[in-house]
Amino acid sequence: MFRSGHVDSFCRDSLPPADQWPDLRLAEAGLAYAERLNVVTELVDSHIAAGRGDRIAILAEGIRWTYADLAGRINRIANVLVRDLGLVPGQRVLLRAPNSPMLVAAYFAVLKAGGVAVATMPMLRARELAYPLMKARIALALCDHRLMEDLEAACELAPVLERIVTFGGGELEGLMDQPGYETFTAADTAQDDVCLIGFTSGTTGEPKGTLHFHRDLLAICDCYGARILAADPEDRFIGSPPLAFTFGLGGLVLFPFRIGAAAILLEKAGPPDLLPAIAAHRATVCFTAPTAYRAMLDRLGEHDVSSLRICVSAGEALPKATFEAWKAQTGIPLMDGIGATEMLHIFIAAPRAAIRPGATGLPVPGYEARILDEAGNPVPDGTPGRLAVRGPTGCRYLADPRQAKYVAGGWNITGDTYLRDAEGYFWYQARSDDMIISAGYNIAGPEVEASLLTHPAVAECGVVGVPDSERGMIVRAYIVLREGNASDAAMTKRLQDHVKADIAPYKYPRDIVYVAGLPKTQTGKLQRFELRRMALADARPAEARQAS
Ligand code: 3UK
């Protein structure tokens, strides 16, 4: 490790023990960064130094900031952080706001001052905010003035938080306006100083804080960004993931800034908001989840999305049916990619010219991936097993024993079951703990979901195993029907026959439950554990009946 520029050593002291680190392979990935590195110098100030200060950096409702405008705001906020709020390098700052220009300026000001950004999902409530506050020992927060209530309530639960400064309502803006605040010298941080803590959405157990270095933010731009996405400076990036989710941070901010392109930031970015925003801003690159692409399909006709040229899907498996429908209606092949908070961004995806519909893709150049059996040995191609990856980024949890579960022998074990085909493409099967074992067969819930989604009556679905006295487990599908379809026995029969004709018949859902909506995480992922819980709750009376 290099000499740290941090004065507050909390993050460095909270890194995992050396023998639990993943291999971080920069040279092998063809990457080399200076020892002293502040990511904001590279992503923002470099454009001004190169005479590109007049290019558009950020577009939002009624806002148009050039790189020079953005750099000015960052400097002013960095001065407030250091001079008025006493921030020292290494100190954590909580950020709480919808995606907006001020959130980006505040985020980058924290990094430029050598602080560590901890962005949080706008929807989090007091109890959920208290956890990162305590875990990351956060004394200072910058918060959108409209979202103060829950953060104030979190203070009661997390007494470490000493100071909240609001923005959007004049408080931070007033402090920024002081004379002498227009310039700020970037903190002299090392390339391997921590600059952000990304908390996982915590589908099981407490959220995990993932530590990432200044250089990691560049590494994802220089691997996935340059080698797979291959956008250009004229592109305008848009999408839905919150910047607190590293999918959003990379896709909506880091990738465009690395190449001097524009970021379009939307405070509301559900499918009904995204389509008109694409049209209004003539967006060219879109980052969102498969569910959002599916939801947009139904309304594509009402908006002009002809400006789009690159569409990235991540967060959940992209079913072939969604790929095909989007291609048919827009002409654009959706670029699937698997990423993880632990890895910071996408590590398996395919370049546009080499997409195999239904497969996630190939390891992003700079990353390696392989499939292991339960004992940790590589399996032959075509055999499902645990996905292991390594590259320039990797998992370093903030003081967490679960580190030993995610990293083994220098490889990151993502918790996904995958298979690699003879041509080296990686095919998603399921989360490793979501495999359904029914009458001795291994059934991957997502494969049954992908099949159901090819039926025109199905809008959304989630498939889980339900305990069954005869088969151990049976496959149950929770289905949201498209408008105008009746949820009756005839529909159930039609859907079951459809799956039986489409994939191996033993995989068909023996049980179908119609619902109005599916439980989702704040990052938009289906909560299969919640479906399993619902299934168990229904199953109990039946078992009780059998017992009596
Ligand atoms: C699942 C996928 C199949 C997979 C993320 C892009 O999703 C992101 O990070 P999370 O930590 O979740 C990681 C887990 O999500 N997953 C993500 N993408 C895919 N499964 N196909 C995909 N294309 O289980 C993975 O282990 O929330 C995605 C960039 C940054 C991210 N943080």
Side-chain angles (χ1 to χ4, degrees):
M1 293 193 76
F2 297 108
R3 176 176 57 84
S4 177
H6 284 182
V7 173
D8 176 328
S9 64
F10 173 81
C11 286
R12 205 162 259 212
D13 298 342
S14 308
L15 282 161
D19 63 338
Q20 290 182 15
W21 280 48
D23 293 340
L24 297 174
R25 297 162 70 87
L26 281 109
E28 294 83 350
L31 304 177
Y33 300 110
E35 179 197 327
R36 310 316 297 170
L37 183 80
N38 188 297
V39 66
V40 181
T41 311
E42 306 297 318
L43 293 179
V44 180
D45 297 331
S46 65
H47 297 300
I48 295 156
R52 293 191 291 266
D54 291 339
R55 294 186 58 85
I56 301 294
I58 298 183
L59 294 165
E61 183 83 54
I63 293 180
R64 195 184 165 87
W65 285 358
T66 63
Y67 276 91
D69 294 332
L70 172 63
R73 255 90 172 184
I74 292 171
N75 287 346
R76 288 184 173 281
I77 301 172
N79 275 306
V80 171
L81 288 168
V82 172
R83 299 205 219 174
D84 299 313
L85 303 169
L87 180 87
V88 297
Q91 201 181 317
R92 284 76 53 215
V93 180
L94 184 118
L95 298 162
R96 174 168 165 81
N99 288 359
S100 65
M102 270 302 274
L103 175 61
V104 173
Y107 201 118
F108 276 49
V110 171
L111 305 189
K112 193 165 184 180
V116 176
V118 187
T120 52
M121 306 283 176
M123 289 99 83
L124 295 190
R125 309 309 297 255
R127 201 172 36 78
E128 299 158 302
L129 287 164
Y131 184 79
L133 284 167
M134 292 305 285
K135 181 79 193 178
R137 307 254 185 83
I138 306 178
L140 176 62
L142 300 178
C143 179
D144 187 302
H145 69 118
R146 295 162 297 179
L147 297 177
M148 268 298 277
E149 210 176 301
D150 284 291
L151 188 55
E152 268 174 339
C155 277
E156 309 282 302
L157 306 166
V160 285
L161 183 60
E162 291 166 9
R163 181 80 200 264
I164 307 173
V165 176
T166 60
F167 57 88
E171 187 182 6
L172 179 59
E173 289 81 357
L175 290 167
M176 286 166 69
D177 212 18
Q178 299 177 69
Y181 276 21
E182 46 288 307
T183 58
F184 183 87
T185 306
D188 175 34
T189 39
Q191 57 155 278
D192 57 358
D193 272 327
V194 171
C195 75
L196 80 83
I197 307 176
F199 277 90
T200 61
S201 47
T203 46
T204 48
E206 279 164 346
K208 290 162 269 194
T210 64
L211 301 167
H212 298 284
F213 302 156
H214 280 263
R215 68 160 188 243
D216 296 334
L217 276 56
L218 300 181
I220 61 168
C221 298
D222 300 341
C223 288
Y224 179 78
R227 301 169 186 179
I228 299 290
L229 188 67
D232 70 51
E234 297 309 312
D235 276 311
R236 293 167 168 227
F237 289 61
I238 200 166
S240 60
L243 302 189
F245 183 24
T246 62
F247 179 37
L249 178 72
L252 302 177
V253 177
L254 305 178
F255 299 157
F257 285 7
R258 185 63 165 156
I259 56 174
I264 302 161
L265 297 174
L266 307 175
E267 295 209 342
K268 279 182 65 195
D273 314 289
L274 196 47
L275 280 170
I278 291 169
H281 295 284
R282 310 272 322 140
T284 61
V285 180
C286 180
F287 278 80
T288 190
T291 341
Y293 285 111
R294 270 196 297 281
M296 287 195 287
L297 276 169
D298 290 342
R299 305 160 188 242
L300 266 179
E302 301 156 33
H303 304 276
D304 173 13
V305 296
S306 60
S307 56
L308 281 180
R309 65 181 202 99
I310 301 176
C311 295
V312 176
S313 168
E316 279 190 304
L318 173 66
K320 201 171 168 194
T322 309
F323 175 92
E324 259 142 25
W326 190 263
K327 178 88 198 284
Q329 289 204 45
T330 65
I332 302 169
L334 279 176
M335 290 175 80
D336 192 6
I338 176 172
T341 307
E342 288 83 352
M343 302 301 295
L344 193 56
H345 218 271
I346 294 174
F347 48 84
I348 295 175
R352 276 187 292 296
I355 292 173
R356 294 280 158 88
T360 311
L362 306 158
V364 169
Y367 288 83
E368 294 167 79
R370 49 191 212 173
I371 309 296
L372 307 175
D373 64 17
E374 289 296 326
N377 302 308
V379 298
D381 285 345
T383 313
R386 289 169 180 271
L387 177 66
V389 292
R390 64 180 184 184
T393 59
C395 177
R396 286 136 301 165
Y397 288 134
L398 168 72
D400 202 311
R402 291 170 290 185
Q403 176 75 18
K405 226 186 134 202
Y406 204 91
V407 174
W411 292 77
N412 300 274
I413 313 294
T414 66
D416 296 291
T417 300
Y418 257 86
L419 71 76
R420 183 174 63 191
D421 68 17
E423 282 148 291
Y425 278 80
F426 285 78
W427 298 77
Y428 178 77
Q429 312 292 302
R431 286 290 303 169
S432 301
D433 33 24
D434 284 340
M435 293 294 291
I436 303 163
I437 303 168
S438 180
Y441 290 109
N442 269 310
I443 301 168
E447 186 188 5
V448 183
E449 289 162 14
S451 173
L452 284 164
L453 283 170
T454 61
H455 193 283
V458 178
E460 285 294 325
C461 62
V463 168
V464 292
V466 191
D468 178 77
S469 52
E470 202 180 311
R471 299 174 170 265
M473 297 257 231
I474 56 162
V475 176
R476 173 183 284 182
Y478 286 88
I479 292 184
V480 182
L481 289 173
R482 276 183 204 287
E483 256 169 61
N485 291 286
S487 53
D488 52 16
M491 176 62 76
T492 297
K493 173 90 171 51
R494 273 205 296 284
L495 294 176
Q496 289 172 328
D497 289 345
H498 171 82
V499 174
K500 284 189 207 167
D502 185 38
I503 55 178
Y506 68 83
K507 298 175 181 169
Y508 86 93
R510 283 171 194 273
D511 201 1
I512 290 184
V513 177
Y514 297 96
V515 286
L518 295 171
K520 294 275 171 81
T521 64
Q522 304 215 336
T523 52
K525 283 192 223 300
L526 176 63
Q527 289 177 310
R528 286 204 181 71
F529 72 92
E530 182 58 31
L531 291 181
R532 278 194 290 266
R533 203 193 52 74
M534 283 160 57
L536 280 174
D538 299 351
R540 243 170 244 132
E543 274 168 15
R545 268 199 306 278
Q546 270 171 14
S548 60

